[in-house]
């Protein structure tokens, strides 16, 4: 991000935004904190080059409405990047995976394609940390808002 760039940090938790604001301190000049709703990210219309969702997509109960809001906020050709934790068992239902704070990338990919996003890349093992007792995997999907 260049000197004239801006970041919109959106969350439905006022407490999380307050903590972020405190952590940023005086360097919040290029960061605008946005209190979102469960069904509306409340991002500015048609102005964003990219939206990044990290470790939160599995939490979206109103994902259709949120994806609509993201799509409205992106410029034509803008990117949506989602990073989330992969489940150890993809046989579980979407709800069961979400309760475990995970989600199979196929669910997100289907959601994005249903919303008219063009999938740019899928990285099923974007992050892979092997520990003695378990393996932590995160996937990444990037998708582009289509240019009409």
């Amino acid at each position: 991000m260049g000197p004239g760039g801006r970041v919109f940090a959106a969350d439905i938790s006022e407490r999380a935004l307050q903590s972020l604001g405190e952590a940023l301190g005086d360097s919040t000049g290029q960061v605008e904190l946005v209190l979102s709703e469960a069904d509306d990210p409340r991002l500015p219309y048609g102005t964003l080059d990219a939206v990044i969702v990290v470790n939160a997509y599995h939490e979206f109960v109103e994902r259709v409405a949120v994806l609509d809001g993201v799509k409205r906020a992106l410029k034509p050709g803008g990117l949506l990047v989602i990073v989330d934790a992969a489940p150890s068992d993809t046989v579980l239902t979407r709800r069961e995976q979400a309760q475990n704070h995970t989600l199979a990338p196929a669910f997100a990919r289907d959601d994005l394609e249903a919303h008219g996003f063009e999938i740019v890349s899928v990285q099923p093992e974007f992050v892979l940390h092997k520990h003695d007792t378990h393996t932590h995997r995160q996937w990444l999907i990037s998708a582009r808002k289509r240019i009409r």
Side-chain angles (χ1 to χ4, degrees):
M1 176 178 73
R6 297 202 52 192
V7 171
F8 293 87
D11 201 301
I12 61 170
S13 168
E14 194 168 349
R15 186 175 175 167
L17 290 172
Q18 182 180 12
S19 294
L20 177 59
E22 290 169 2
L24 290 171
D26 293 335
S27 62
T28 60
Q30 290 180 277
V31 179
E32 183 174 329
L33 305 179
V34 178
L35 182 60
S36 300
E37 312 256 340
D39 63 350
D40 185 359
R42 301 182 66 199
L43 296 168
Y45 179 81
T47 60
L48 303 182
D49 295 314
V51 171
I52 302 170
V53 178
V54 179
N55 296 333
Y57 191 74
H58 68 272
E59 299 282 354
F60 289 3
V61 176
E62 302 288 338
R63 68 184 178 279
V64 170
V66 172
L67 285 174
D68 286 342
V70 167
K71 197 170 184 181
R72 282 191 306 270
L74 286 169
K75 294 177 184 176
L79 284 177
L80 169 57
V81 177
I82 301 173
V83 176
D84 218 321
S88 57
D89 185 354
T90 58
V91 176
L92 297 174
T93 66
R94 184 182 190 128
R95 176 181 283 183
E96 290 169 325
Q97 290 179 31
Q99 288 172 340
N100 291 326
H101 303 285
T102 64
L103 189 68
F107 285 120
R109 183 183 188 128
D110 290 348
D111 293 346
L112 295 171
E113 288 176 337
H115 268 75
F117 283 93
E118 173 190 354
I119 304 299
V120 175
S121 72
V122 177
Q123 297 177 38
E125 291 187 347
F126 177 63
V127 173
L128 180 63
H129 292 291
K130 294 184 179 186
H131 303 282
D132 292 337
T133 58
H134 69 284
T135 299
H136 175 75
R137 291 186 346 255
Q138 289 181 297
W139 51 263
L140 178 146
I141 295 177
S142 59
R144 185 176 315 282
K145 177 180 176 178
R146 294 186 191 274
I147 301 172
R148 296 191 197 258

